Amino acid sequence: FYQIRNLISQRLIKDHGFKFIAVEGDWPDAYRLNKYIQKGEGGNAKSVLMENHRWPTWMWANDEIVKLAEWMRTERAGFYGLDVYSLFESVNEVVNYLKKNNLTLAQEVQRRYACLDPFEGDEISYARSLLKYPPGCENEVLLNLQKLLELRMKDVAHDGDELFSSQQNARIVANAETYYRAMLAGDASSWNVRDGHMMETLDRLLERAGEGAKAIVWAHNTHIGDYRATDMKESGYVNLGGLARQSYGDKNVALVGFGTYEGEVLAGTGWGRPEQVMPLPAAQEESYEHHFHKAAEKYNINQFYFLLEDKTRTPFARRLGHRAVGVVYDPHHERRGNYVPTELSKRYDAFFFIDKTHALRSLHAMFIRGEFPETWPTGQ
């Protein structure tokens, strides 16, 4: 998937004027890579990406992103993170920026962010604390965001990109606090906060890039594919792809999905667990991936793509299972919850199918290779 996304992205940037790539990743980590691409800071792409330590590191610290970033240096295209997880990393980025540019405000902001100090960088610990003290640090982070947004170029000595990044980090702190607060509800709330933040970030990046700017987004199918064409809508979830269509208009958004029949994947068996190269078993019968596998067999090809311009009068308008493999995965549980009921033609505008895939190569190379047990059923 990453190799094909690389090829698509390079073509869109070089030949069609796309300005930047925004990924399902943390802003601070992605912004370090952006500074390497734009200004050569950090030595090389690999050394910059090796600084990524938030799990799952392999999502962006991998060989394919190194290749992409080195190519992007020739085009000076931007690379940004859309996600909301980096609560404590973003706090540090805001304070460090202000210490260099506005020491008085830095001290004021740091006093308010000290509300988060007892949790020692542990977001889950902060979320649990809200059960005993619901107000938490909500007022403090919102007031700091307000102070950062009031800053103008005349107030600081640094360039506009750094000010924009600092304001974005303050926004992440505020939205991350809301996200971890919403986790307590145990429903769609936290997911919707997260995708709402990604949409807000994309809006601001496009606005900053100028009128008519075009962007590429890399994210999992569950964020890209329109939520209204799945069972997400019935459960109260929204996502980035659907929000983008609603905000920008169907004709100004192209949603591209990916699928595979079998192969291997780099993932962990639980959140924070060691990365492993895991076998990816054959897709369920009567899933979209199973039908595409039959087509690949018939024509003796490993990959193909097709456009989904007809949204209703097509076999792809049927609601069938569509595989969803994430960073947390266990092949033994493949048949429990790994398929999203999907009307493919309404969920995407185009679809890439790779019959047999291979795993990413992690830069940190801390993975172990998993194998199927001898009792694993073959091809069922």
Side-chain angles (χ1 to χ4, degrees):
F1 292 177
Y2 280 70
Q3 290 174 342
I4 291 175
R5 286 192 185 110
N6 273 6
L7 293 172
I8 296 170
S9 299
Q10 290 177 25
R11 189 73 175 268
L12 292 176
I13 291 168
K14 189 172 181 62
D15 298 339
H16 299 281
F18 280 68
K19 296 294 186 183
F20 62 86
I21 298 174
V23 303
E24 183 190 338
D26 292 335
W27 179 273
D29 288 341
Y31 193 69
R32 280 197 300 272
L33 187 61
N34 182 65
K35 288 200 289 187
Y36 168 71
I37 293 168
Q38 303 296 324
K39 303 175 183 178
E41 295 183 15
N44 57 53
K46 183 175 180 179
S47 61
V48 172
L49 288 166
M50 285 294 288
E51 294 182 39
N52 291 16
H53 297 298
R54 174 181 287 275
W55 195 94
T57 55
W58 67 86
M59 270 189 71
W60 308 115
N62 61 66
D63 284 352
E64 299 306 321
I65 298 300
V66 170
K67 295 172 190 174
L68 177 65
E70 295 295 357
W71 178 88
M72 288 174 70
R73 286 214 68 207
T74 65
E75 301 293 329
R76 292 295 190 270
F79 189 93
Y80 303 101
L82 294 175
D83 227 325
V84 74
Y85 288 134
S86 60
L87 173 59
F88 291 98
E89 293 90 340
S90 289
V91 165
N92 292 335
E93 293 293 327
V94 171
V95 172
N96 290 338
Y97 171 79
L98 290 175
K99 283 181 177 179
K100 296 176 184 176
N101 294 280
N102 190 321
L103 189 55
T104 301
L105 183 57
Q107 293 169 343
E108 178 186 341
V109 163
Q110 196 166 19
R111 279 197 301 271
R112 295 195 192 94
Y113 281 154
C115 175
L116 294 163
D117 288 351
F119 308 103
E120 300 179 336
D122 186 343
E123 294 92 345
I124 303 305
S125 176
Y126 173 71
R128 288 176 181 147
S129 76
L130 297 173
L131 293 170
K132 293 183 178 179
Y133 184 65
C137 300
E138 183 177 21
N139 289 337
E140 288 83 352
V141 300
L142 288 174
L143 189 53
N144 277 351
L145 173 58
Q146 179 184 332
K147 292 294 183 180
L148 264 291
L149 294 179
E150 288 171 357
L151 275 179
R152 298 292 181 263
M153 283 298 296
K154 63 182 177 62
D155 302 316
V156 295
H158 228 58
D159 65 59
D161 287 341
E162 294 301 313
L163 174 58
F164 177 79
S165 179
S166 182
Q167 291 172 333
Q168 179 61 22
N169 275 306
R171 187 175 287 108
I172 289 166
V173 175
N175 287 346
E177 196 280 339
T178 303
Y179 172 80
Y180 290 111
R181 179 180 299 276
M183 283 178 59
L184 299 177
D187 56 15
S189 302
S190 60
W191 173 280
N192 291 348
V193 168
R194 185 179 172 214
D195 275 57
H197 171 82
M198 289 199 276
M199 183 66 201
E200 179 186 8
T201 303
L202 182 59
D203 277 338
R204 295 186 182 281
L205 287 168
L206 285 168
E207 180 182 357
R208 181 163 178 77
E211 186 175 354
K214 296 181 286 187
I216 303 161
V217 173
W218 286 31
H220 192 276
N221 284 342
T222 51
H223 296 291
I224 290 296
D226 194 326
Y227 69 94
R228 296 169 294 181
T230 73
D231 61 350
M232 292 176 69
K233 182 179 179 181
E234 290 87 348
S235 301
Y237 292 83
V238 300
N239 72 1
L240 180 59
L243 293 173
R245 276 180 172 173
Q246 290 170 286
S247 179
Y248 306 141
D250 289 0
K251 293 183 179 179
N252 295 316
V253 176
L255 306 181
V256 182
F258 288 78
T260 185
Y261 178 69
E262 65 181 346
E264 58 182 22
V265 63
L266 188 59
T269 56
W271 193 263
R273 299 292 297 277
E275 56 197 84
Q276 299 180 42
V277 176
M278 301 181 186
L280 194 67
Q284 276 187 3
E285 289 193 14
E286 296 307 309
S287 65
Y288 273 114
E289 285 75 11
H290 176 256
H291 288 296
F292 296 151
H293 168 67
K294 294 298 183 184
E297 276 191 328
K298 180 177 180 180
Y299 295 103
N300 194 29
I301 53 177
N302 186 56
Q303 59 192 46
F304 57 85
Y305 76 92
F306 50 92
L307 303 181
L308 292 162
E309 296 170 323
D310 185 343
K311 299 297 182 187
T312 55
R313 295 169 300 174
T314 168
F316 301 126
R318 292 184 297 162
R319 183 164 282 207
L320 298 177
H322 172 24
R323 191 173 218 163
V325 176
V327 293
V328 174
Y329 181 69
D330 187 338
H332 299 85
H333 300 157
E334 168 71 15
R335 301 187 181 279
R336 287 187 281 166
N338 276 98
Y339 291 83
V340 178
T342 293
E343 298 166 59
L344 203 75
S345 61
K346 296 179 182 178
R347 189 172 180 181
Y348 307 111
D349 297 297
F351 193 81
F352 278 81
F353 178 72
I354 302 93
D355 194 47
K356 188 169 185 176
T357 51
H358 58 273
L360 282 168
R361 288 174 54 87
S362 167
L363 295 184
H364 291 276
M366 307 231 357
F367 58 83
I368 57 176
R369 181 172 293 274
E371 302 292 346
F372 283 126
E374 292 180 6
T375 55
W376 189 266
T378 59
Q380 298 298 317

